Amino acid sequence: MGIRLIVEVLTSAPEALTHREKLLLVVLAEDANDDTRITWNSVERPEVLRGAKLSRSQLYAVIKTLIAKGALTKLAAGQKNGTAKYKISAFAEPQCPEIADTDTPSQRPGSPDTDTPQRPEIPDTEHPRQRPEIPDTEPPQCQEIRDVSVPESGTPTPLYPSSTTPSASKQEQPATDRLGYGIPEAARPLVDGLTAAGVNVRWPFKGDQWFPVLALIEKSGVPALVAYAIRTAARTDVDSAKYFIRGWGELPPLPEPGVARPQLRAVSGGSWQPYTNPIDPSVYENGF
């Protein structure tokens, strides 16, 4: 499973990719080797079709566009005794200090100002400010008209609120909503589930490092991940949630929507009787 490759696809894939193409590339990266970037299994597996939300015909159409855009390379065609092999291309690294900035440079002393400077002979086009001879056209506020800038509580709202003045939305927001501790909303059920089960581990993920965890949650579901972590923590001392990543990646995916549990045949209570020794001793004459 290519966790590092998944993160690379999510952060460095070409901007020209559509959402469908990028999702398929993430699914293929999950099956590919981190070092060789080559897929292991067949791209027609149900896990790939379900993860990319594509049909078989749509799958090959999206693969064709990924190859055309340079994000994927076909190494070998599928044969009777082998599957087709695809290699995820190496993407360009984010801009580094040694790469020149292509943005337009800011104005330098040698670059003349293109704005026309205002001279005395150029009249001011702005509307003149109110002078004593210009009467105020706005009606004065009467006592019976309440100042809308002052709430009914009687505390006026500052004209230029400073950073130390909390806004109304922040004052009304509960403290628990402001303390996310850097955990994405989609990963909160998994973190809370392990903590409630007594598996207290560190979550050293930051920023893009949460993407593999979110992908595993979508693939196998929170209950399966929590159950695996509980079993693993019971056998060994686990300090970090990174310890579970490899095992989580080997869990089966969620079943297809609409798949029901197999029906079990009901057995009536009168059709089975416990064994009892025969009363007639003649049954033992044959040597049993």
Side-chain angles (χ1 to χ4, degrees), residues 21-282:
E21 294 166 353
K22 192 169 184 179
L23 178 59
L24 176 58
L25 202 60
V26 170
V27 176
L28 295 179
E30 181 184 1
D31 181 59
N33 184 281
D34 271 343
D35 298 324
T36 63
R37 311 174 75 90
I38 300 175
T39 57
W40 289 96
N41 304 301
S42 171
V43 296
E44 296 183 3
R45 292 180 300 133
E47 295 84 351
V48 175
L49 298 178
R50 181 174 59 254
K53 296 178 174 58
L54 298 171
S55 63
R56 187 176 180 274
S57 59
Q58 292 173 339
L59 171 72
Y60 285 103
V62 177
I63 287 178
K64 185 176 179 180
T65 59
L66 286 173
I67 295 175
K69 293 181 180 180
L72 195 67
T73 304
K74 187 174 183 178
L75 300 181
Q79 300 177 359
K80 182 178 180 181
N81 296 325
T83 59
K85 296 296 181 182
Y86 295 89
K87 182 178 180 179
I88 299 176
S89 304
F91 306 119
E93 295 292 336
Q95 186 174 5
C96 302
E98 61 270 11
I99 301 177
D101 195 347
T102 57
D103 294 340
T104 304
S106 57
Q107 186 176 6
R108 300 181 178 87
S111 302
D113 195 347
T114 56
D115 295 337
T116 304
Q118 189 172 10
R119 300 184 179 90
E121 61 271 16
I122 301 177
D124 194 349
T125 58
E126 295 182 359
H127 192 277
R129 297 181 180 178
Q130 187 175 6
R131 300 183 179 91
E133 62 271 16
I134 301 178
D136 193 351
T137 57
E138 295 182 0
Q141 187 174 14
C142 302
Q143 297 295 329
E144 61 272 12
I145 302 176
R146 188 179 64 86
D147 190 351
V148 295
S149 64
V150 180
E152 295 182 359
S153 60
T155 304
T157 303
L159 182 60
Y160 301 102
S162 62
S163 59
T164 58
T165 304
S167 62
S169 60
K170 291 184 178 180
Q171 291 178 348
E172 297 175 359
Q173 185 179 11
T176 55
D177 294 342
R178 300 195 301 267
L179 300 177
Y181 302 103
I183 301 175
E185 188 67 23
R188 174 61 67 178
L190 176 61
V191 177
D192 293 343
L194 291 184
T195 305
V199 182
N200 297 313
V201 293
R202 295 183 298 107
W203 295 87
F205 306 103
K206 297 180 180 179
D208 295 344
Q209 297 176 354
W210 280 101
F211 286 144
V213 180
L214 300 179
L216 292 170
I217 292 175
E218 183 177 358
K219 171 191 171 187
S220 302
V222 172
L225 302 186
V226 172
Y228 175 84
I230 293 175
R231 294 194 303 269
T232 303
R235 296 192 303 267
T236 183
D237 187 15
V238 181
D239 175 65
S240 172
K242 286 186 176 180
Y243 186 85
F244 304 125
I245 292 293
R246 180 177 296 274
W248 282 344
E250 297 175 355
L251 294 176
L254 292 171
E256 289 284 356
V259 176
R261 297 180 60 183
Q263 297 293 333
L264 301 178
R265 183 175 60 88
V267 178
S268 61
S271 61
W272 177 84
Q273 297 292 335
Y275 174 78
T276 57
N277 293 325
I279 301 176
D280 187 5
S282 62

